[in-house]
Every structure is written in structure tokens, then in C-alpha cells.
Amino acid sequence: MTKHASAHWQGGLKDGKGTLSTESGALSDTPYGFRTRFEGKPGTNPEELIGAAHAGCFSMALSMQLGLAGLTAESLATKAEVTLEQDEGGFTITAVHLSLLARIPGAKRADFESAVEAAKTGCPVSKLLNAEITLDASLES
């Protein structure tokens, strides 16, 4: 499977602007730029998109792991916080912190924790990132 996305950029780093589009149309000429990345202006940025991809990938991987254990989630709410830090070479994504609030009828704590860890390490986005990945997982009863 191969998926496609594209970026179009005009201008310099700080005064320029760009758009992002995806094959599915989920993003279509969505604005991004220095101000959306570093100054909180409307639009998106690469770190936000990586966070969404990681949260989505982890949730799907966890659903698979739960299925292998004979469990089905009622809900999995995952948030990803992506940390971008300046270093001597420019900027680096150094960490992603995942926060999970799960409702899984009949799940035992040990089975839940095992599935969560397998999903964290097995998710393709986790495998892609060269960053520290941490996780807080809560199981609602």
C-alpha cells in the first residue's frame, strides 16, 4: 500500500506560506506556514499532523491487540503531544507522549497493559519515529 500527500510552498521561511493536500481529500489546500507552526496562527503544521497520525495509528493497533485477546473496545480516546526542540542542527522531534482513556468491557488490567504496550511498540508510526515515545493509559470501568 502506498498513500500520497503533497505540499506547495511559496516565499521565504518566515514570510512564506504553503498548503497541504492528501490523496483522500481529508486535507485539500490546507494552509500551513511559519506562523501556524511556531506562533499558533490558524492552519496546521507538520507536528500536529504527525500527532494525529500517531494517535490514530496507535488506536488502531490497540484495537487489533485487544481483538487478539478476545476484547473489543467501547471507546479509545488517544491524544498525542509532539515535542519539537531546537538543537545544533536546526529542529528535531524529540518526543511523543500518548495519553489514552479506554473503555473496554470485561478487560482485566494485565491484559489491557499487555495490549497497550504491544500497540505502542508495534504501531507503524511508532516504528517510524526516532523519538522517545511515552504513554499514560487509563482504563475506565
Side-chain angles (χ1 to χ4, degrees), residues 26-125:
L27 298 178
S28 179
D29 295 327
T30 302
Y32 83 109
F34 185 88
R35 298 183 88 193
T36 64
R37 193 172 195 181
F38 296 106
E39 298 176 1
K41 298 298 180 188
T44 192
N45 60 72
E47 292 73 32
E48 178 179 73
L49 297 173
I50 289 168
H54 201 182
C57 183
F58 168 79
S59 296
M60 290 179 75
L62 179 54
S63 179
M64 181 189 77
Q65 291 298 324
L66 292 170
L68 294 173
L71 298 166
T72 301
E74 183 178 303
S75 70
L76 301 173
T78 306
K79 179 181 177 182
E81 296 174 357
V82 178
T83 301
L84 180 70
E85 294 183 5
Q86 190 167 10
D87 59 21
E88 60 279 348
F91 287 88
T92 301
I93 293 173
T94 57
V96 177
H97 181 72
L98 299 171
S99 299
L100 168 68
L101 180 58
R103 182 172 290 151
I104 308 163
K108 294 183 174 123
R109 170 70 50 192
D111 294 336
F112 171 69
E113 290 175 358
S114 177
V116 165
E117 186 57 31
K120 178 183 152 197
T121 58
C123 154
V125 174

